[in-house]
Amino acid sequence: MKRNLSPLFSAAFLLAFPVAVYAVDISVDSTSIVRFEQRDIPGSSKQDIQPFTQFLGLDARKLGDGNLSLHLYGWGRADMGDTSYGDSKTDGNLTYGYLQYRFEKTDADIRAGRFFVREGIINEQVDGISARTDLPFGFGLSAFGGATVHTEDLYGENSDGKGDYIAGGRISFRHKGLLELGISGVYEDTAPALVNYVNGTNRKIGADIWLSPHRAIELVGHSSYNTETSEMAEHRYLLNLRPATGLVLSGEYSDQREQSLFYSWAMFSGAAVNPGDKARTTAITASYYLDKTTEIILGYKHYNREIGNADRYGGDMKLSFMDNRLRGGLGYYYLQAGDNFAITGTSSASYHNLRAYVMHDTKTYFSSVEALCRLFDEKIYGEDTAYEAAFSLGYHITPALALSGDISYGKNPDYQDETKGLVRLTYNMTYDNKGEKK
Amino acid sequence: MRILQTSFMVVLLVGLFIFLVSCAGMKGTPNGYSSHADYISAGQQISCSECHEDQQKGTMKSFASFNHSAVFVKNHGHYAATDDRLCASCHKSSFCTDCHTNKTEIKPSLLYGNRPDRELPHRGNYMTLHKIEGKLDPSSCYRCHGRSNNERCMACHR
């Protein structure tokens, strides 16, 4: 019953506000997609699927006294051929739908409805209310509370494994553009017991930092603590050095206690993970703009888990010409990983990853070509190569309305022969209160 | 449990104290974020410091921190977690929810198949690779897919 109330809760908030329309700006973003896909999975009969999916976003600003806005986004799908996924030929979702009142001082705002909260260690979708404000002396406050947005029931269960209500917030302090410290926490209702999975309640606290004692040095990251397991869940930090214009040298470090981090990830029975399992990654990346047209990126990452170690290294080059209308990229990475990371039946997880693309935009048409190739050190299901080539061509019918089509062909260990195509109609427009386009 | 209750109580009291102490000065704190949507085009590589060099004031962070270099794009989550109001100067919420959402229909790299320049995850067929990458770094799956109970995941992960 509680679960059915969540969308009603959001809708009630949206309808309850008396919305006077004065100098309202309305922005509409619509993407209609018809996909054409032929699936040929070894051991199964061929499938032809043609799902039609409509994505629709609406942002109405300057409502009421000018500080109120409404934001909606969601999608719906109807299958015109074979069922594209699951048992139903239709599906849909309200991604977010909220009213926001933004105050004229202190960057304060209040949101009510369905929205995402990303504050410090918090990353949640909520049907409820949130508020935040900057305060004098560099302090800041944010808080939220409401009903958890439930998702699909887990297999064989009558629950998605989440509690029914959730609350949390963050307190922060900033000093002169040199330092920001934050403390955040999330508290979710006790998770329901499951039959086929081991489940845990989502309750964490954490701290985050941004430190830049000099404009060429920046440290950013967070640590989180799982109060259910009484153990640190994660440390995740990034150090950026900018010794010269256009050059960024970056070092990443993360350390995780997997049970505490995945404790409420019911689908993988995160609460049942061995309490001693740890994971650690360290990475170095260098990004350098040779000039306005060319960026070169080199990277190395080391993975360490209980089951073994792995390394990934390689680089990318990004190109931009003709005032950004012609863009391209090249990339190569190699993953060196042993048998513990390999797919069942193989003894190596190592593979080369190559990618190249080029795209061109004009006022009338736009196009792109992309090629991907993966070379496995050891054959997977009898294949040592996976590749895909994709081509996209589009036409601006008006500056706001564009029709485009993509087609791709690929072959990989899971799909012997994969041909996909889609037709996409996009409409992005903002109207002012007189109905005129902006 | 007790630690959490105590922590929340402390955070609540500290927050209330800070709020009360600083309420008197709030009128003098202007908004710091404004919309840039009218003069930034899609696909433009953003370098905040090109226009805002030397405009850092008060508690504002260095604009160089938000230049959209490859390093920034790859690690944008760190910045969005503390500065999403700055993100909202240019990006609508849907820009985030294209990837970071509980339920989506089309993977982002297919939805924006005409934008190979965007660093969208899982390009090409990812079915084979996820069996390797998931073992390598399950937290990278968890950040987007954790607790969303994606039907496609559940088809095999029962």
Side-chain angles (χ1 to χ4, degrees):
Chain A
M1 182 63 189
K2 282 180 182 176
R3 301 184 58 176
N4 293 332
L5 288 176
S6 294
L8 293 176
F9 184 68
S10 294
F13 263 114
L14 299 181
L15 296 173
F17 279 74
V19 179
V21 179
Y22 295 110
V24 60
D25 276 354
I26 295 178
S27 167
V28 178
D29 298 288
S30 164
T31 301
S32 311
I33 288 179
V34 181
R35 281 178 286 161
F36 303 92
E37 191 174 333
Q38 192 174 71
R39 290 178 185 165
D40 184 5
I41 302 170
S44 302
S45 57
K46 280 191 178 181
Q47 277 184 301
D48 288 307
I49 62 165
Q50 294 104 37
F52 169 78
T53 311
Q54 176 66 48
F55 295 84
L56 186 62
L58 178 87
D59 297 272
R61 302 175 195 279
K62 300 179 185 174
L63 301 170
D65 64 357
N67 296 316
L68 185 68
S69 58
L70 172 68
H71 308 271
L72 294 165
Y73 190 81
W75 58 267
R77 184 252 298 162
D79 285 319
M80 298 188 291
D82 292 334
T83 304
S84 61
Y85 202 81
D87 301 323
S88 175
K89 286 202 165 196
T90 58
D91 202 356
N93 187 249
L94 174 66
T95 307
Y96 59 79
Y98 60 91
L99 278 163
Q100 175 171 296
Y101 189 86
R102 190 173 182 226
F103 293 84
E104 291 176 359
K105 301 281 183 184
T106 70
D107 281 311
D109 63 51
I110 294 174
R111 290 183 292 173
R114 171 171 294 186
F115 50 83
F116 284 86
V117 180
R118 296 188 178 94
E119 293 269 357
I121 65 156
I122 305 163
N123 184 8
E124 303 289 347
Q125 188 182 22
V126 182
D127 283 329
I129 297 176
S130 78
R132 60 186 173 185
T133 181
D134 286 346
L135 298 168
F137 316 120
F139 289 100
L141 273 180
S142 70
F144 72 94
T148 312
V149 177
H150 287 285
T151 57
E152 299 293 329
D153 286 349
L154 289 156
Y155 181 75
E157 308 281 352
N158 293 316
S159 163
D160 65 351
K162 296 181 181 178
D164 286 323
Y165 64 84
I166 188 166
R170 178 172 179 264
I171 297 173
S172 63
F173 171 72
R174 284 186 179 193
H175 178 67
K176 288 186 176 178
L178 302 174
L179 171 72
E180 179 173 9
L181 295 170
I183 300 169
S184 52
V186 59
Y187 184 98
E188 191 172 292
D189 183 20
T190 303
L194 302 172
V195 177
N196 304 309
Y197 303 83
V198 181
N199 196 16
T201 300
N202 178 28
R203 288 171 194 168
K204 284 178 188 163
I205 54 173
D208 57 84
I209 184 171
W210 178 87
L211 174 66
S212 181
H214 184 274
R215 62 192 309 171
I217 303 170
E218 178 186 41
L219 173 73
V220 59
H222 65 257
S223 295
S224 59
Y225 179 85
N226 189 321
T227 57
E228 296 295 293
T229 60
S230 299
E231 189 181 55
M232 293 304 298
E234 181 182 46
H235 301 288
R236 196 160 175 243
Y237 291 88
L238 171 74
L239 176 67
N240 287 331
L241 304 176
R242 299 185 186 87
T245 304
L247 176 64
V248 184
L249 301 173
S250 148
E252 292 171 56
Y253 173 79
S254 76
D255 186 294
Q256 293 140 4
R257 304 291 185 277
E258 295 189 333
Q259 187 199 43
S260 295
L261 184 63
F262 304 143
Y263 195 69
S264 55
W265 196 4
M267 193 169 67
F268 285 89
S269 292
V273 171
N274 185 336
D277 281 1
K278 298 174 187 173
R280 185 174 294 159
T281 61
T282 46
I284 300 169
T285 309
S287 161
Y288 182 57
Y289 281 96
L290 288 176
D291 51 40
K292 283 202 167 185
T293 65
T294 311
E295 184 184 15
I296 292 176
I297 304 109
L298 297 172
Y300 167 76
K301 190 166 191 175
H302 177 72
Y303 302 84
N304 176 270
R305 291 192 72 201
E306 298 294 327
I307 58 172
N309 296 306
D311 298 283
R312 192 194 312 263
Y313 44 84
D316 293 284
M317 183 162 69
K318 293 182 178 182
L319 303 162
S320 171
F321 302 101
M322 298 166 63
D323 198 22
N324 211 37
R325 283 180 286 123
L326 180 65
R327 303 194 283 280
L330 290 167
Y332 167 76
Y333 281 88
Y334 179 62
L335 175 70
Q336 192 170 39
D339 56 347
N340 285 329
F341 298 104
I343 295 172
T344 306
T346 63
S347 61
S348 170
S350 301
Y351 71 91
H352 303 262
N353 190 81
L354 299 100
R355 178 174 176 246
Y357 71 87
V358 63
M359 55 189 293
H360 187 217
D361 296 345
T362 71
K363 284 187 178 176
T364 52
Y365 80 91
F366 49 96
S367 61
S368 68
V369 179
E370 181 183 18
L372 280 164
C373 182
R374 280 136 192 173
L375 306 169
F376 304 104
D377 280 10
E378 187 183 324
K379 284 186 176 180
I380 298 171
Y381 311 143
E383 299 285 340
D384 59 7
T385 307
Y387 63 83
E388 184 171 302
F391 173 67
S392 178
L393 180 65
Y395 179 71
H396 289 293
I397 299 166
T398 70
L401 183 67
L403 180 67
S404 59
D406 302 352
I407 187 160
S408 69
Y409 176 78
K411 194 173 180 183
N412 56 71
D414 281 279
Y415 294 92
Q416 292 171 338
D417 179 16
E418 193 174 34
T419 306
K420 291 181 290 188
L422 66 79
V423 176
R424 179 191 301 108
L425 186 69
T426 56
Y427 180 73
N428 307 106
M429 178 53 75
T430 301
Y431 297 91
D432 64 16
N433 62 320
K434 294 171 186 167
E436 292 178 357
K437 297 172 183 175
K438 291 183 80 177
Chain B
M1 184 66 187
R2 204 170 161 186
I3 295 172
L4 186 67
Q5 285 177 337
T6 310
S7 303
F8 267 103
M9 193 56 72
V10 169
V11 167
L12 194 68
L13 289 173
V14 170
L16 190 63
F17 175 75
I18 294 168
F19 183 77
L20 291 173
V21 166
S22 52
C23 265
M26 288 178 75
K27 284 182 181 176
T29 310
N31 283 344
Y33 306 109
S34 60
S35 174
H36 291 54
D38 289 343
Y39 42 89
I40 291 175
S41 59
Q44 188 175 341
Q45 199 70 20
I46 302 301
S47 177
C48 308
S49 51
E50 266 185 26
C51 301
H52 294 286
E53 194 63 40
D54 300 327
Q55 290 182 22
Q56 184 181 344
K57 56 190 175 186
T59 60
M60 287 172 73
K61 295 176 181 175
S62 161
F63 286 105
S65 298
F66 299 95
N67 287 346
H68 286 19
S69 68
V71 169
F72 176 89
V73 172
K74 190 176 157 203
N75 296 290
H76 67 274
H78 282 297
Y79 301 91
T82 54
D83 289 280
D84 74 336
R85 284 174 291 185
L86 182 63
C87 304
S89 300
C90 301
H91 300 292
K92 293 179 179 175
S93 296
S94 58
F95 185 84
C96 308
T97 58
D98 282 338
C99 297
H100 303 283
T101 186
N102 269 336
K103 185 172 180 175
T104 189
E105 170 65 7
I106 301 175
K107 67 176 181 172
S109 59
L110 199 59
L111 178 60
Y112 296 102
N114 55 345
R115 290 292 308 276
D117 58 324
R118 283 184 64 176
E119 300 294 325
L120 298 169
H122 310 341
R123 299 204 80 85
N125 189 297
Y126 199 71
M127 181 62 80
T128 307
L129 287 195
H130 96 280
K131 298 169 193 171
I132 296 171
E133 300 289 341
K135 288 181 187 174
L136 199 65
D137 184 9
S139 70
S140 67
C141 309
Y142 179 73
R143 287 187 213 293
C144 290
H145 299 291
R147 309 188 81 214
S148 64
N149 298 350
N150 187 301
E151 285 178 291
R152 288 160 176 78
C153 302
M154 274 196 288
C156 298
H157 296 287
R158 294 176 172 178

